[in-house]
Amino acid sequence: MSTLTRPIRRPADTEADAPARFRDLLAAEWIKLWSLRSTRWTLPLVYLFVIAVSVNASLADHRNWPTYPEGRREMFHLYGPVRDAFPEAGYLLLILASATVGALTIVGEHQSGLIRATFAAVPARRAVVAAKAAVLAGVMLAFGTMTAATSFWVSQAILADRGAGWSIGEPGVLRAVVASAVLVPVCALVGMGMGALTRHAAAAVFAATTVLLLLPMVVDRDEHRGIAELHDTLPLVAWLRLIEVHPDIVNPVPYPPTVTGAWLTFAAWSLVAALTAVTLTHRRDP
């Protein structure tokens, strides 16, 4: 009398059939991000450029300080230290570079065809893109923190010799440093969202540049409340509000943006960009 035996599944077969864990997806996306030459070269070069611009601005004020009249010195104490720490020229390049890195994280896979192999191995597209967004945001936040902290402390160390610098404990200063750090992952996620939308590197970078840089410069604030509030929902405008310690004195405008509204702008752009990338990648063919 024969007996039926149930086939024994080997551990290797069980592991092969198991769905990929999210931490495994994070590890894979970490490798993909750092395998891009744009990441390995762009971030260090941009970091050095931002610091160099900050040092140059601080040294200029340090050198010219004896020639500043008393009135100009008083005004400088209201806005000068933060402008030297986070110079516009350096941070405009930082915004563009962050958006470009974010766009290439998803566009590069589409153009190379790697995205098909990825989804063949891991059919859960939402989880893959969520892991990609998490790794991108984490890396760019660390990079933004290092850049903002370095540029702030180097610039204030230069200005301290003239008694013109700020300390991190003064009202609004820590907020300016944190906002300058958070701006980087926000722009990177916007670039990623544009990359998922266009699937073309040049188009994604152009779209991100338009939203992040061109619109705030082309569209002026208006005395009408609705137009002013729409203008304040742009990431660059929100960042400029967060780094201004004395906005009512230095740059008074009708219907000024609020600190809370600026933080909400950062959060909204990040969330919408990430959801756009997840949704479009899930619904469209790779």
Side-chain angles (χ1 to χ4, degrees):
M1 184 175 181
S2 62
T3 59
L4 297 178
T5 58
R6 183 175 299 175
I8 300 175
R9 300 191 66 181
R10 294 175 298 175
D13 296 334
T14 304
E15 293 178 2
D17 295 339
R21 295 169 297 183
F22 192 72
R23 65 181 181 182
D24 297 328
L25 298 179
L26 292 175
E29 294 303 328
W30 172 271
I31 295 173
K32 289 179 186 177
L33 179 62
W34 289 109
S35 66
L36 294 172
R37 284 180 293 179
S38 58
T39 304
R40 298 196 305 269
W41 286 97
T42 301
L43 297 187
L45 291 176
V46 171
Y47 172 79
L48 293 176
F49 178 81
V50 173
I51 303 306
V53 175
S54 178
V55 168
N56 181 68
S58 302
L59 288 175
D61 283 319
H62 181 277
R63 182 175 58 254
N64 297 325
W65 187 259
T67 66
Y68 289 166
E70 189 62 29
R72 183 169 181 178
R73 292 186 182 187
E74 292 179 1
M75 287 299 297
F76 183 87
H77 283 293
L78 297 177
Y79 71 89
V82 74
R83 299 291 175 86
D84 287 349
F86 312 116
E88 187 172 325
Y91 268 76
L92 291 182
L93 177 63
L94 181 60
I95 290 171
L96 179 59
S98 302
T100 301
V101 171
L104 291 179
T105 57
I106 197 164
V107 171
E109 284 197 72
H110 280 285
Q111 293 185 339
S112 65
L114 179 61
I115 195 71
R116 296 185 180 90
T118 299
F119 290 154
V122 185
R125 298 185 181 183
R126 292 190 183 95
V128 171
V129 182
K132 189 184 295 293
V135 170
L136 176 66
V139 169
M140 299 307 284
L141 178 60
F143 173 66
T145 301
M146 182 175 65
T147 304
T150 305
S151 61
F152 176 77
W153 270 291
V154 169
S155 64
Q156 303 316 301
I158 295 173
L159 295 173
D161 184 46
R162 300 293 191 185
W166 283 346
S167 68
I168 194 66
E170 295 186 34
V173 175
L174 179 60
R175 183 190 68 217
V177 177
V178 173
S180 299
V182 174
L183 175 68
V184 177
V186 171
C187 295
L189 289 174
V190 171
M192 180 180 174
M194 295 300 180
L197 181 65
T198 63
R199 294 189 177 183
H200 191 277
V205 172
F206 175 77
T209 302
T210 300
V211 171
L212 296 172
L213 297 180
L214 297 183
L215 283 180
M217 297 179 181
V218 173
V219 180
D220 294 330
R221 291 184 56 87
D222 193 274
E223 294 184 358
H224 295 88
R225 188 183 188 91
I227 297 177
E229 290 178 348
L230 287 175
H231 182 264
D232 295 339
T233 59
L234 297 172
L236 179 60
V237 179
W239 173 67
L240 291 174
R241 171 60 187 91
L242 291 171
I243 67 172
E244 288 291 353
V245 178
H246 303 285
D248 298 336
I249 300 175
V250 177
N251 187 29
V253 293
Y255 309 111
T258 64
V259 171
T260 301
W263 287 121
L264 290 176
T265 295
F266 275 5
W269 277 97
S270 301
L271 181 61
V272 170
L275 289 177
T276 298
V278 170
T279 303
L280 291 179
T281 304
H282 174 73
R283 293 184 176 181
R284 296 162 66 182
D285 293 331

